[in-house]
């Protein structure tokens, strides 16, 4: 029996794109330039206020190294899950080899970096 997929949830898709972009340290302008689209259009996609063509989906997928299944439906492949787990384990391994002072400093820097990325993506 064929499994019918529901129409994609633009808000969820936009959120996954934004999170991956921030994780990679790209600004919306950088992604827009890489996929040859207007920054406003990229912003609209991330906010879920517009749909996108197949070409745009493919360009974003390639730019952010994200599978279409994950981008559109939130379904990670085994490879993507392994890669994410490896990244997380690498950070834990690096921190475990640091002194308490270095670890505390690294964690403060990471928190500051994440907060600054969130602020830059959600200006007042």
């Amino acid at each position: 029996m064929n499994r019918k997929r529901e129409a994609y949830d633009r808000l969820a898709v936009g959120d996954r794109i934004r999170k991956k972009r921030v994780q990679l340290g790209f600004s919306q302008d950088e992604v827009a330039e890489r996929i040859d689209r207007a920054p406003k259009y990229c912003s609209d996609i991330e906010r879920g206020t517009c749909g996108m063509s197949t070409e745009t989906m493919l360009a974003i997928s390639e730019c952010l190294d994200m599978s279409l299944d994950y981008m559109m439906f939130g379904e990670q492949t085994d490879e993507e899950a392994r890669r994410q787990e490896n990244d997380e384990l690498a950070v834990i391994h690096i921190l475990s080899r640091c002194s308490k002072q270095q670890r505390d400093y690294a964690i403060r820097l990471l928190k500051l970096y994440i907060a600054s990325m969130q602020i830059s993506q959600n200006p007042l």
Side-chain angles (χ1 to χ4, degrees):
M1 175 184 275
N2 286 340
R3 188 175 113 202
K4 183 179 178 190
R5 292 194 188 234
E6 298 295 319
Y8 77 93
D9 178 347
R10 285 193 230 172
L11 291 174
V13 170
D15 188 53
R16 283 189 287 274
I17 291 170
R18 181 188 54 77
K19 285 179 180 176
K20 181 68 174 189
R21 176 182 57 75
V22 169
Q23 178 187 28
L24 294 173
F26 292 146
S27 68
Q28 283 183 341
D29 288 344
E30 288 172 313
V31 170
E33 185 175 323
R34 288 172 182 249
I35 67 169
D36 196 30
R37 302 297 187 277
K40 168 87 168 77
Y41 181 52
C42 290
S43 175
D44 290 345
I45 290 169
E46 286 189 11
R47 285 183 290 118
T49 59
C50 70
M52 55 186 141
S53 68
T54 303
E55 291 79 12
T56 300
M57 289 178 200
L58 291 169
I60 291 172
S61 172
E62 182 178 328
C63 174
L64 300 179
D65 191 28
M66 179 188 318
S67 75
L68 288 173
D69 274 345
Y70 180 70
M71 182 171 62
M72 302 307 295
F73 303 107
E75 298 171 4
Q76 268 189 322
T77 65
D78 290 342
E79 181 182 335
E80 289 169 326
R82 262 192 313 280
R83 188 179 321 144
Q84 180 177 344
E85 185 177 333
N86 287 341
D87 289 346
E88 292 165 358
L89 290 173
V91 170
I92 291 168
H93 178 72
I94 291 166
L95 291 175
S96 73
R97 299 183 69 182
C98 295
S99 69
K100 180 179 179 354
Q101 182 181 4
Q102 290 171 323
R103 188 171 43 255
D104 290 346
Y105 185 67
I107 290 170
R108 283 196 318 267
L109 285 175
L110 184 58
K111 287 178 180 179
L112 180 62
Y113 173 75
I114 291 169
S116 70
M117 293 302 291
Q118 290 171 338
I119 289 169
S120 71
Q121 302 314 313
N122 299 309
L124 297 176

